């Protein structure tokens, strides 16, 4: 009976540190230059994705299901970079590597939410390409702006609920071992490993979230492209095949940029134990480079956006030239 009471008292007394200490890169000379590099990627990502958002919002011809998906992806990119990099700059350049308990949970939620939102958005864009190529005559019947908006409303609601549940369950854990987080932000895994009471529910929910929001999206995208390639094989001429495939190039590049680093990190960590510094560098690059590259890829590979940018530049340059000639 005394053992039962002791266990009950232990479960009631949850130990929560006032602060967590974010270790970041340690023992690496000139690590500040790496943080400056990440800040440059942040600046490019915010500017590039803001331009994409403005172009899609202001140009009536881009108000279509595909570009609703692109708009959502740009929002996720801006959200992710703002959740990761400014907080990291503040932490390491102000020499204040402590973050309060509540701020840590908030940082954990926003980073995980926007990363998983990117993943699911890539699935929706893959579905858009699948319908456009495999069922072109039924595209407008199956997909329109209302349907795509409802899809993303469900995606936002589901991601918010699952990620919020995952982060909120951290409050049931006691952190009596240490408050030092071996990462550059309040990373869920390193924080979870600091718990000194039963964390089996948290581990299960973490695996479930990863399966639903990272692993499953990748396999769904692979299956969708298998269907697309099968449909393309039925087209008789190579010109028609290439024309259809060109509409998928941007999306394929985005999928590769997002998922390949995650897969490589997973394989590397399975084969060998990554050092804290290697994990910080690999995860920070996989989180910051895709949001920077995504708008560049869409501008370079999307004819509609290229034409609009040329039109805007031409409208601005021509009056300047006329004034100079006068």
């Amino acid at each position: 009976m005394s053992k039962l009471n002791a266990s009950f008292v232990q479960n009631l007394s949850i130990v929560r540190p006032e602060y967590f200490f974010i270790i970041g890169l340690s023992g690496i000379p000139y690590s500040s230059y790496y943080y400056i590099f990440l800040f440059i990627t942040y600046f490019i990502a915010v500017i590039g994705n803001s331009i994409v958002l403005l172009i899609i919002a202001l140009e009536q011809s881009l108000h279509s299901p595909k570009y609703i998906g692109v708009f959502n992806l740009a929002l996720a990119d801006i959200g992710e970079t703002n959740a990761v990099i400014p907080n990291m700059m503040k932490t390491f350049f102000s020499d204040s590597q402590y973050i309060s308990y509540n701020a840590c949970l908030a940082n954990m939620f926003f980073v995980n939410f926007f990363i998983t939102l990117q993943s699911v958005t890539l699935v929706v864009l893959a579905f858009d390409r699948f319908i456009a190529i495999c069922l072109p005559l039924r595209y407008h019947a199956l997909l329109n702006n209302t349907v795509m908006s409802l899809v993303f409303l469900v995606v936002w609601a589901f991601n918010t609920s699952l990620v919020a549940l995952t982060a909120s369950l951290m409050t049931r854990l006691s952190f009596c071992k240490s408050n030092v987080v071996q990462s550059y932000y309040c990373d869920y895994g390193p924080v979870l490993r600091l718990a000194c009471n039963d964390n089996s529910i948290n581990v299960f929910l973490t695996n479930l979230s990863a399966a639903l929001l990272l692993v499953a999206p990748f396999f769904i995208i692979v299956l969708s492209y298998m269907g697309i390639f099968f449909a393309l094989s039925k087209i008789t001429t190579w010109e028609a095949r290439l024309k259809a495939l060109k509409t998928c190039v941007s999306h394929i590049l985005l999928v590769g940029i997002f998922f390949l680093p995650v897969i490589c990190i997973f394989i590397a960590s399975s084969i060998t134990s990554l050092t804290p510094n290697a994990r910080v560098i690999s995860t920070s690059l996989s989180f910051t480079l895709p949001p920077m590259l995504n708008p560049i890829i869409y501008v370079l590979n999307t004819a509609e956006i290229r034409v609009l940018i040329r039109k805007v530049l031409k409208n601005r340059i021509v009056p300047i030239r006329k004034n100079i000639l006068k």
Side-chain angles (χ1 to χ4, degrees):
M1 191 69 178
S2 59
K3 287 183 179 180
L4 182 63
N5 289 333
S7 175
F8 180 72
V9 171
Q10 186 179 5
N11 288 333
L12 284 179
S13 58
I14 302 297
V15 179
R16 296 175 185 168
E18 188 176 355
Y19 295 96
F20 285 104
F21 183 82
I22 309 296
I23 196 167
L25 293 172
S26 58
I28 296 180
Y30 309 112
S31 60
S32 59
Y33 291 110
Y34 180 70
Y35 296 127
I36 292 171
F37 163 74
L38 291 182
F39 181 75
I40 293 170
T41 65
Y42 164 76
F43 182 77
I44 296 171
V46 170
I47 296 296
N49 284 291
S50 298
I51 290 171
V52 171
L53 289 175
L54 280 172
I55 290 173
I56 295 173
L58 298 176
E59 182 55 41
Q60 193 69 30
S61 64
L62 297 181
H63 293 178
S64 63
K66 175 186 174 182
Y67 286 103
I68 290 174
V70 175
F71 188 91
N72 196 81
L73 184 65
L75 276 179
D77 287 340
I78 290 177
E80 182 194 336
T81 51
N82 277 297
V84 173
I85 299 179
N87 191 62
M88 186 170 62
M89 296 295 106
K90 177 186 172 185
T91 300
F92 295 109
F93 282 106
S94 64
D95 291 327
S96 176
Q97 293 173 242
Y98 288 94
I99 183 171
S100 69
Y101 179 83
N102 290 330
C104 180
L105 293 185
N107 181 236
M108 183 186 297
F109 167 79
F110 284 112
V111 172
N112 291 336
F113 172 74
F114 285 114
I115 288 170
T116 54
L117 185 62
Q118 283 186 63
S119 175
V120 181
T121 301
L122 290 172
V123 174
V124 178
L125 287 170
F127 178 69
D128 172 84
R129 292 299 84 206
F130 177 83
I131 298 295
I133 293 173
C134 298
L135 302 167
L137 299 178
R138 299 187 61 194
Y139 180 83
H140 294 291
L142 294 173
L143 278 183
N144 53 50
N145 291 352
T146 303
V147 171
M148 190 63 89
S149 299
L150 287 173
V151 167
F152 278 112
L153 185 64
V154 172
V155 166
W156 277 70
F158 179 75
N159 276 40
T160 301
S161 302
L162 189 56
V163 176
L165 178 62
T166 305
S168 64
L169 282 178
M170 296 294 287
T171 58
R172 62 177 290 276
L173 299 178
S174 285
F175 299 95
C176 48
K177 292 180 181 179
S178 171
N179 68 337
V180 177
V181 180
Q182 298 279 351
S183 188
Y184 60 99
Y185 74 102
C186 271
D187 198 347
Y188 191 89
V191 173
L192 187 61
R193 285 192 287 271
L194 299 177
C196 53
N197 59 339
D198 181 29
N199 63 358
S200 55
I201 295 176
N202 300 76
V203 171
F204 170 77
L205 199 58
T206 302
N207 294 332
L208 179 65
S209 300
L212 290 177
L213 302 176
L214 289 173
V215 178
F218 176 73
F219 283 107
I220 292 171
I221 291 170
V222 170
L223 288 174
S224 70
Y225 273 102
M226 288 173 66
I228 287 171
F229 292 140
F230 179 74
L232 290 177
S233 68
K234 293 183 177 181
I235 299 175
T236 54
T237 63
W238 277 101
E239 291 80 4
R241 289 180 190 176
L242 290 173
K243 185 178 179 181
L245 190 60
K246 278 178 71 175
T247 64
C248 301
V249 169
S250 297
H251 183 257
I252 292 171
L253 290 173
L254 296 181
V255 170
I257 289 169
F258 180 82
F259 283 104
L260 281 179
V262 176
I263 293 169
C264 290
I265 292 169
F266 176 77
I267 292 172
S269 59
S270 300
I271 295 172
T272 181
S273 58
L274 292 175
T275 64
N277 285 336
R279 191 176 188 279
V280 167
I281 292 172
S282 58
T283 54
S284 61
L285 287 176
S286 68
F287 284 1
T288 55
L289 289 181
M292 180 189 74
L293 295 173
N294 288 351
I296 297 172
I297 289 169
Y298 260 105
V299 169
L300 293 178
N301 286 284
T302 306
E304 298 96 329
I305 294 179
R306 289 202 310 270
V307 168
L308 285 171
I309 290 175
R310 286 198 202 102
K311 190 187 295 184
V312 170
L313 292 175
K314 186 178 179 181
N315 291 338
R316 296 203 170 194
I317 291 170
V318 169
I320 294 171
R321 283 180 178 174
K322 286 181 179 179
N323 290 331
I324 291 172
L325 290 173
K326 288 178 181 179

